[in-house]
Amino acid sequence: MESEALIHQTNYLFNTLFLLFSGALVMWMAAGFAMLEAGLVRTKNTTEILTKNLLLYALAVIAYQIVGFDIMYQGNDTAGWIPSFGFGINATAEGASQSSNVDFFFQVVFVATAMSIISGAVAERMKLSSFLIFAIFMTTIIYPIEGYWTWGAGALGASIEDGGLGFSDFAGSAIVHMAGAVAALAGVIFLGPRRGRYTDKGAKPMPGANMPLVTLGAFILWLGWLGFNGGSQLSFTGIEDADAVAAVFVNTNAAAAAGALTAYLLSVVIYGKADLTLIVNGALSGLVTITAAPDSPTAIQAVLFGGIGATAAFFAIGFFDKIKIDDPVGAISVHGVAGFVGILLVPVTKDVTVITQLIGVGIIVAWVFAASTVFWLAIKYTVGLRISEQDEYLGADISECGLEAYPEFSSGNSKNIR
Amino acid sequence: MESEALIHQTNYLFNTLFLLFSGALVMWMAAGFAMLEAGLVRTKNTTEILTKNLLLYALAVIAYQIVGFDIMYQGNDTAGWIPSFGFGINATAEGASQSSNVDFFFQVVFVATAMSIISGAVAERMKLSSFLIFAIFMTTIIYPIEGYWTWGAGALGASIEDGGLGFSDFAGSAIVHMAGAVAALAGVIFLGPRRGRYTDKGAKPMPGANMPLVTLGAFILWLGWLGFNGGSQLSFTGIEDADAVAAVFVNTNAAAAAGALTAYLLSVVIYGKADLTLIVNGALSGLVTITAAPDSPTAIQAVLFGGIGATAAFFAIGFFDKIKIDDPVGAISVHGVAGFVGILLVPVTKDVTVITQLIGVGIIVAWVFAASTVFWLAIKYTVGLRISEQDEYLGADISECGLEAYPEFSSGNSKNIR
Amino acid sequence: MESEALIHQTNYLFNTLFLLFSGALVMWMAAGFAMLEAGLVRTKNTTEILTKNLLLYALAVIAYQIVGFDIMYQGNDTAGWIPSFGFGINATAEGASQSSNVDFFFQVVFVATAMSIISGAVAERMKLSSFLIFAIFMTTIIYPIEGYWTWGAGALGASIEDGGLGFSDFAGSAIVHMAGAVAALAGVIFLGPRRGRYTDKGAKPMPGANMPLVTLGAFILWLGWLGFNGGSQLSFTGIEDADAVAAVFVNTNAAAAAGALTAYLLSVVIYGKADLTLIVNGALSGLVTITAAPDSPTAIQAVLFGGIGATAAFFAIGFFDKIKIDDPVGAISVHGVAGFVGILLVPVTKDVTVITQLIGVGIIVAWVFAASTVFWLAIKYTVGLRISEQDEYLGADISECGLEAYPEFSSGNSKNIR
């Protein structure tokens, strides 16, 4: 075999194996979100949220395969605003450094992540079918279009030389996480809080039913995130790639650790207790924060960034409760606020200005919020967003799925909790 | 180093890393089956099914190491019917493209999968020791012999030019999944249904006790299946291999997604509810269906095939209940019926006839059913298959394991359920 | 590109991908310990042990990054006793075969494992903050110093030619597992047993609350251990490496299987029941045993070694209960006793004497026990080790975390169990 052909083949094999490995880790995050959310809701809404997570993953895979991937990546103009439109996954181009299938596989698990974020925020009161309809819009239109603007080489992500803004978001603090959070925020606004959540005496705690599931979900997400950020190097063909991916693994891990410890310290200082759900959200906030630039910081910077993001999200959780934005799992704070912090921290380690980052994130947020509003309202005034008052009281498991999550465990405290 | 030796070494390293990665994913499926089954039985039989899953994996690993692997793969005639017989794992042959240890590691996790399938179908009433005795026969005789006929280059799997049938089953829709389902079917026939399951008023629902476990199991299996199907390419040394594996990942993921959505739609249309257990079985049915040929379909075909397999399994679950084949987890429908559909769909994308596929699958099914019958009956009339009526009433956890699965959670509804 | 540079690059890529894959598997073990331990304690202490596992991982990552890694590996004398001292992760050296970041990533997940072992043994009565203070000492001083002596090329691990002892511990039966167990033993001695555990009538069973979690934890650890032992080859650049890693995967899997089956047989013979917790500990004991030399045995030897280690741990669990060392999860037996067996079995397959192994393990144990004693006592006489009697009665979840693990599941049997 010719030497050059051999080098090309070796690169092709490394890229493919690397992206399959990374993609498998990201796919696993779907399980992480499912477990996290199932542990954070009450027993009576557990089957429904599990069903939702399984179906949103399935739906995202197929919707993104049919049109989303094409809109985001295939056949678009550099630095443009309007994506081209087509179907399916193109054939691998002559001389490509990996098959288009492995590109697709890695990207499709990202769109599912964006969708998973929404699922938690609207838990315990949204109709399953309404959520799934929104999932179609999110995965075929909202996410692919802003994804084209950024990762698809459109107007935001293209370099300044190529006529773009030069917005920098390595693995998606804004493109994936804030996008999910903003769509969720719009949803929660039109959906309203869970009944009984906000009383005259303030927000009533509605504790999650299963802490081991919450912790399992956190560990799954932590593991999967190594692939989420590491795989976003997208190439594994030289020593620079290998070094970058190794740094990403170290930094991602460090930021999560710092986020967890920060939330622990804040929780102990402020509440006198080590609140597991806050600690889990701290770890996740660290992960979201580092996602914007996991390749360029030193490990110590990653620790600092994780801590800063977790602090912001920690206080945001309280803030959203104060303004009666009812987010049962804290998704808007963790993915939105920490994601925003991550975007603003990119200039510390990369050659991009804060202004550029603010413009980029502003446009993404405006688009996602506006488009989500349109779709949420369209659903609200057609099929409706919310389950009935009685169904909410009895739990979405019965009304939506006809199946209790734990039929044999009596809900001793359920009267207090309902 | 000589150029040719270097190429050989690079290939060797890619093959090994690829098969270790794939094998690790398949090993993880053992956890998936354990969680799935533990969530689908009632609390009183949960410890027993967990114990069974852990032990069947352990037993399969050792039994296959001692004789099964040799019968299936080592030193056999091409296109033959009678395998040779020997012990252990042969030394790596001179010039081989990977070590025999990595071959063994990838294959041993398959035999455990076949065995896991049986475990669910006979749940809640079989003696643990009887099950383990059957596991020895399955992993040393039943599976390795039909495995030799097919993947071991025996009479069914060898190409027509080599004097074989040319039966095509890429990753084991029939060889692993139907084999497990057929052995399970024979077991269930001789074991009988759970007491109280079939009454004058029809089948009494005995809902699974823990839906988060069911969902976790489904996600684990979904993830592990990427390695199950992807690794079955068995080689990762050229661009064609990389493309094939990438296509397998995309198609496997797509078929599972389509299976889940299909079952959701059927469940909503027929029962008016999004039944989580049916949706999980839909996803798994999609996976079983695509397993026969995950490399050759387009992604759209994979969606269609997953949907067809899930539809067949969906109705099969009802059918088996009607004929009083009591399969608590739906394993016979998911792995048997969807596996059969998958085998029949191979000719759509590969150069093989339906007749060839029917002959192949017919011989596998006949062998597995006949041999399983012999072994199940031998066990039945010696140590017995079933736990006593009282033990079944109180639960296998106490009688078999002396340990409750959830000793502190009162079983509020257990009287209704028992 | 020059041929030599190309070979170096290919090696670099293989090493990096191999260590990222292995490290991801080991990171996953943190989740395994969390699930295992959460399932083995009573409901009232479940949130606390989950919190502890999440925080110990976070703390280990950051503490090891700041000083532990440097003490253990960077800039030390060969065959020395006193490590050098510095901060952070050094830049990758010129001509290195992988980046220092990937070295760090793989090693950092090991220190977390050592710490996880301790967590289980002191469960249900230690203060969370006291545990975390000890974790700082363990991850920055105790483990890195003995780690330098052995893997860091210090006096124990260096070869005899280099002036060292030539102690052999491939993946850490002593260096990681016994170290964790010995630190745990010292902690348990100064902490004392759970109240009510040892009565005049002998040890009172305090059954774990959630068997599916125990089993999930076991499967996670089993999977992660493939990376723990496999990755310890540390290099993946030639056929010999590939063969070694493949052998490690097969042997690790076989030893775990043998451990599980051995514990099953012992449990059935001695107690008449298949006790799931003993079987899980059998599998883990097999894993700990093979860890000292997973690369050199044949697969049959691995089966025997796993069985021997599991037998020793099986009886050790009863022994420690007899001498009132209260270890709720059996960690001291599984990681300490089976680890010791593993170290003593190394001479069967490797060129090292039993005397060498005994000296090495003796020094490690003496150091870890002495240093742990100092730190545990320092904590005991300052902030204290134990939660109050009332907090222990009500559960650490309320006093430490302010959060129940399962707030809606009534604890039907809790009066009997408390």
Side-chain angles (χ1 to χ4, degrees):
Chain A
M1 195 185 261
E2 284 295 311
S3 165
E4 215 165 310
L6 195 64
I7 292 173
H8 179 249
Q9 175 178 294
T10 303
N11 288 346
Y12 201 99
L13 290 168
F14 272 122
N15 274 349
T16 302
L17 197 53
F18 170 66
L19 287 173
L20 292 175
F21 164 62
S22 301
L25 287 177
V26 188
M27 183 264 152
W28 187 221
M29 291 174 73
F33 281 110
M35 294 300 111
L36 181 76
E37 296 174 12
L40 285 172
V41 299
R42 290 164 293 171
T43 53
K44 65 180 179 178
N45 297 310
T46 304
T47 301
E48 195 268 344
I49 208 159
L50 292 164
T51 308
K52 201 163 66 172
N53 271 278
L54 205 55
L55 289 175
L56 80 83
Y57 180 77
L59 203 145
V61 165
I62 292 179
Y64 196 70
Q65 177 190 309
I66 294 176
V67 296
F69 183 65
D70 185 83
I71 290 172
M72 189 156 163
Y73 286 110
Q74 296 184 161
N76 283 316
D77 292 335
T78 299
W81 287 101
I82 310 294
S84 74
F85 182 83
F87 293 97
I89 308 163
N90 288 352
T92 307
E94 186 68 30
S97 50
Q98 65 252 359
S99 88
S100 51
N101 269 320
V102 81
D103 285 339
F104 172 77
F105 178 70
F106 184 69
Q107 298 300 340
V108 74
V109 285
F110 273 65
V111 66
T113 297
M115 205 55 225
S116 294
I117 293 165
I118 307 173
S119 151
V122 301
E124 305 206 288
R125 71 261 201 218
M126 185 179 273
K127 281 185 185 174
L128 176 61
S129 55
S130 305
F131 177 83
L132 293 175
I133 293 168
F134 185 80
I136 296 174
F137 294 126
M138 183 75 185
T139 56
T140 57
I141 299 176
I142 304 177
Y143 173 78
I145 286 181
E146 56 105 3
Y148 157 55
W149 294 343
T150 49
W151 289 337
L156 300 180
S159 65
I160 295 168
E161 302 90 74
D162 285 344
L165 174 68
F167 174 70
S168 178
D169 186 6
F170 189 82
S173 282
I175 299 164
V176 178
H177 293 277
M178 283 191 76
V182 168
L185 176 63
V188 169
I189 289 171
F190 300 117
L191 182 64
R194 290 168 288 177
R195 282 172 211 281
R197 175 80 170 104
Y198 298 112
T199 66
D200 297 346
K201 298 170 209 154
K204 187 178 143 192
M206 293 177 162
N210 197 324
M211 289 303 119
L213 288 187
V214 172
T215 312
L216 176 63
F219 274 117
I220 294 174
L221 289 169
W222 195 320
L223 172 63
W225 225 295
L226 299 173
F228 190 95
N229 285 358
S232 292
Q233 178 71 10
L234 295 177
S235 170
F236 201 79
T237 57
I239 289 176
E240 273 174 47
D241 286 336
D243 284 351
V245 176
V248 169
F249 269 60
V250 168
N251 289 338
T252 302
N253 201 34
L261 288 178
T262 302
Y264 164 65
L265 293 173
L266 288 171
S267 174
V268 166
V269 168
I270 295 173
Y271 304 114
K273 304 276 181 185
D275 183 309
L276 176 61
T277 60
L278 290 172
I279 293 167
V280 161
N281 275 338
L284 300 180
S285 300
L287 289 165
V288 171
T289 305
I290 201 68
T291 293
D295 56 331
S296 44
T298 64
I300 289 295
Q301 284 177 317
V303 168
L304 293 175
F305 293 177
I308 294 168
T311 304
F314 187 95
F315 291 107
I317 289 172
F319 169 76
F320 281 115
D321 248 354
K322 213 154 261 167
I323 62 169
K324 301 191 180 175
I325 296 294
D326 185 20
D327 175 1
V329 305
I332 298 169
S333 303
V334 168
H335 299 274
V337 174
F340 183 64
V341 171
I343 289 296
L344 291 188
L345 286 169
V346 176
V348 178
T349 63
K350 278 190 174 155
D351 192 21
V352 62
T353 66
V354 173
I355 298 294
T356 296
Q357 295 297 87
L358 282 173
I359 295 171
V361 87
I363 291 171
I364 293 169
V365 166
W367 158 252
V368 175
F369 193 83
S372 297
T373 295
V374 169
F375 293 123
W376 286 124
L377 287 177
I379 297 167
K380 181 167 183 166
Y381 294 112
T382 51
V383 291
L385 286 176
R386 231 182 140 113
I387 57 176
S388 74
E389 183 168 354
Q390 198 194 345
D391 288 345
E392 192 178 338
Y393 181 78
L394 295 173
D397 288 2
I398 299 300
S399 65
E400 300 292 293
C401 303
L403 210 62
E404 284 182 80
Y406 312 101
E408 297 185 54
F409 304 155
S410 72
S411 292
N413 301 324
S414 63
K415 270 167 216 145
N416 302 329
I417 289 163
R418 268 174 187 163
Chain B
M1 195 184 258
E2 285 295 311
S3 165
E4 215 164 309
L6 195 65
I7 292 175
H8 179 248
Q9 175 178 295
T10 302
N11 289 346
Y12 201 98
L13 290 168
F14 271 122
N15 275 349
T16 302
L17 197 53
F18 170 65
L19 287 173
L20 292 176
F21 165 62
S22 301
L25 287 177
V26 188
M27 182 263 152
W28 186 222
M29 291 173 71
F33 282 110
M35 294 301 111
L36 181 76
E37 295 174 13
L40 284 172
V41 300
R42 289 164 295 171
T43 54
K44 64 180 181 178
N45 296 311
T46 304
T47 303
E48 196 267 343
I49 208 160
L50 292 164
T51 308
K52 200 163 68 173
N53 271 278
L54 205 54
L55 290 174
L56 81 84
Y57 181 76
L59 203 146
V61 164
I62 291 180
Y64 196 68
Q65 178 190 310
I66 294 176
V67 296
F69 183 64
D70 186 82
I71 290 172
M72 189 154 163
Y73 285 110
Q74 297 182 160
N76 283 317
D77 292 335
T78 299
W81 287 100
I82 311 293
S84 74
F85 181 84
F87 294 96
I89 307 162
N90 287 353
T92 307
E94 187 68 29
S97 51
Q98 65 251 1
S99 89
S100 51
N101 269 320
V102 80
D103 285 340
F104 171 77
F105 177 70
F106 185 68
Q107 297 300 339
V108 74
V109 285
F110 273 66
V111 65
T113 298
M115 205 55 225
S116 294
I117 294 165
I118 306 173
S119 152
V122 300
E124 304 206 290
R125 71 262 201 218
M126 184 177 274
K127 281 185 184 175
L128 176 61
S129 56
S130 306
F131 176 83
L132 293 175
I133 293 169
F134 185 80
I136 296 175
F137 294 125
M138 183 74 185
T139 57
T140 58
I141 299 176
I142 303 177
Y143 172 78
I145 287 181
E146 56 104 2
Y148 158 55
W149 294 343
T150 48
W151 289 336
L156 300 181
S159 65
I160 295 166
E161 302 89 76
D162 285 344
L165 174 68
F167 174 70
S168 178
D169 185 6
F170 188 82
S173 282
I175 298 164
V176 178
H177 293 277
M178 282 191 76
V182 167
L185 176 63
V188 170
I189 290 171
F190 300 117
L191 182 65
R194 290 168 289 176
R195 283 173 209 279
R197 176 81 172 104
Y198 298 112
T199 66
D200 297 345
K201 297 170 211 154
K204 187 177 142 194
M206 293 179 163
N210 197 325
M211 288 305 118
L213 289 186
V214 172
T215 312
L216 176 63
F219 274 117
I220 294 175
L221 289 169
W222 194 321
L223 172 62
W225 226 294
L226 300 173
F228 191 96
N229 286 358
S232 293
Q233 177 73 9
L234 295 176
S235 169
F236 200 79
T237 56
I239 289 176
E240 273 174 46
D241 286 335
D243 285 349
V245 177
V248 169
F249 269 59
V250 168
N251 289 338
T252 301
N253 200 34
L261 288 178
T262 302
Y264 164 66
L265 293 174
L266 288 170
S267 174
V268 166
V269 168
I270 295 173
Y271 304 113
K273 305 277 180 184
D275 184 309
L276 177 60
T277 62
L278 290 173
I279 293 167
V280 162
N281 275 338
L284 300 180
S285 301
L287 289 164
V288 171
T289 305
I290 201 69
T291 293
D295 56 332
S296 43
T298 64
I300 289 295
Q301 284 177 317
V303 168
L304 293 176
F305 293 178
I308 294 169
T311 304
F314 187 94
F315 291 107
I317 288 172
F319 168 77
F320 281 114
D321 248 355
K322 212 155 263 169
I323 63 169
K324 300 190 182 176
I325 296 293
D326 184 21
D327 175 0
V329 305
I332 298 169
S333 303
V334 168
H335 298 275
V337 175
F340 183 65
V341 171
I343 289 295
L344 291 190
L345 285 169
V346 176
V348 178
T349 62
K350 279 190 172 155
D351 191 21
V352 62
T353 66
V354 173
I355 297 295
T356 296
Q357 295 296 88
L358 282 173
I359 294 171
V361 88
I363 293 171
I364 293 170
V365 166
W367 158 251
V368 175
F369 193 83
S372 297
T373 296
V374 169
F375 293 123
W376 285 124
L377 287 178
I379 296 167
K380 181 166 183 167
Y381 293 112
T382 51
V383 292
L385 286 177
R386 230 181 140 114
I387 58 177
S388 74
E389 182 167 355
Q390 197 193 345
D391 288 346
E392 192 178 338
Y393 181 78
L394 295 172
D397 287 3
I398 299 300
S399 65
E400 301 291 294
C401 304
L403 211 63
E404 285 181 79
Y406 311 100
E408 297 186 53
F409 304 154
S410 73
S411 293
N413 301 324
S414 62
K415 268 167 218 145
N416 302 329
I417 289 164
R418 270 176 186 160
Chain C
M1 194 185 261
E2 284 295 309
S3 164
E4 214 166 309
L6 194 65
I7 293 174
H8 179 249
Q9 174 178 296
T10 302
N11 289 347
Y12 202 99
L13 290 168
F14 272 123
N15 275 349
T16 302
L17 197 52
F18 170 65
L19 286 173
L20 292 176
F21 166 61
S22 301
L25 288 176
V26 187
M27 183 266 151
W28 188 221
M29 291 173 71
F33 282 110
M35 294 301 111
L36 180 75
E37 296 174 13
L40 284 171
V41 300
R42 290 164 293 171
T43 53
K44 64 180 180 177
N45 297 311
T46 303
T47 302
E48 196 268 343
I49 209 160
L50 292 164
T51 307
K52 201 163 68 173
N53 271 278
L54 204 54
L55 289 175
L56 80 84
Y57 180 77
L59 204 146
V61 164
I62 291 179
Y64 196 70
Q65 177 190 310
I66 294 176
V67 297
F69 183 64
D70 186 83
I71 290 172
M72 190 156 164
Y73 285 109
Q74 297 183 160
N76 283 316
D77 292 335
T78 300
W81 287 101
I82 312 293
S84 74
F85 182 82
F87 293 96
I89 307 162
N90 288 351
T92 308
E94 187 66 31
S97 51
Q98 65 252 0
S99 88
S100 51
N101 268 321
V102 80
D103 286 339
F104 171 77
F105 178 70
F106 185 68
Q107 297 301 340
V108 74
V109 285
F110 273 65
V111 65
T113 298
M115 205 56 226
S116 294
I117 293 164
I118 307 173
S119 152
V122 301
E124 303 205 291
R125 72 267 201 212
M126 185 177 274
K127 281 184 185 174
L128 176 61
S129 56
S130 305
F131 176 84
L132 293 175
I133 294 169
F134 185 81
I136 296 175
F137 293 126
M138 184 74 185
T139 55
T140 58
I141 299 176
I142 304 176
Y143 172 78
I145 286 180
E146 57 104 3
Y148 158 54
W149 294 344
T150 48
W151 289 336
L156 300 180
S159 66
I160 295 168
E161 302 90 74
D162 285 344
L165 174 68
F167 174 70
S168 178
D169 186 6
F170 189 83
S173 282
I175 298 164
V176 178
H177 293 277
M178 282 190 76
V182 168
L185 177 62
V188 169
I189 289 171
F190 300 117
L191 182 65
R194 290 167 289 176
R195 283 173 209 280
R197 175 81 171 105
Y198 298 112
T199 66
D200 297 346
K201 297 172 212 153
K204 186 177 141 191
M206 293 177 164
N210 197 324
M211 288 305 119
L213 289 187
V214 172
T215 311
L216 176 63
F219 273 117
I220 293 174
L221 289 169
W222 195 320
L223 171 63
W225 226 294
L226 300 173
F228 191 96
N229 285 358
S232 292
Q233 176 72 11
L234 296 177
S235 170
F236 200 79
T237 57
I239 289 176
E240 274 174 45
D241 285 336
D243 284 350
V245 176
V248 169
F249 269 60
V250 168
N251 289 338
T252 301
N253 200 35
L261 288 178
T262 303
Y264 164 65
L265 292 174
L266 288 171
S267 174
V268 166
V269 168
I270 295 173
Y271 304 114
K273 304 277 180 184
D275 184 309
L276 176 61
T277 62
L278 290 172
I279 293 166
V280 162
N281 275 336
L284 299 180
S285 301
L287 288 165
V288 172
T289 305
I290 200 68
T291 294
D295 55 332
S296 42
T298 63
I300 289 295
Q301 285 177 316
V303 168
L304 294 174
F305 294 177
I308 295 168
T311 304
F314 187 94
F315 291 107
I317 288 172
F319 169 76
F320 281 115
D321 248 354
K322 212 154 262 168
I323 63 169
K324 301 190 182 175
I325 296 294
D326 184 21
D327 175 1
V329 305
I332 298 169
S333 303
V334 168
H335 299 275
V337 174
F340 184 64
V341 170
I343 290 294
L344 292 188
L345 286 170
V346 176
V348 178
T349 62
K350 279 192 173 154
D351 190 20
V352 62
T353 66
V354 172
I355 298 294
T356 296
Q357 295 297 88
L358 282 172
I359 294 171
V361 88
I363 292 171
I364 293 170
V365 165
W367 158 252
V368 175
F369 193 82
S372 297
T373 296
V374 169
F375 292 123
W376 285 124
L377 287 177
I379 297 167
K380 180 165 184 168
Y381 293 112
T382 52
V383 292
L385 285 176
R386 229 181 141 112
I387 57 177
S388 74
E389 183 169 353
Q390 197 193 345
D391 288 345
E392 192 179 337
Y393 181 77
L394 296 173
D397 287 3
I398 299 300
S399 64
E400 301 291 294
C401 303
L403 211 63
E404 285 181 78
Y406 311 100
E408 297 185 53
F409 303 156
S410 72
S411 292
N413 301 324
S414 63
K415 267 167 219 145
N416 302 328
I417 289 164
R418 272 177 183 160

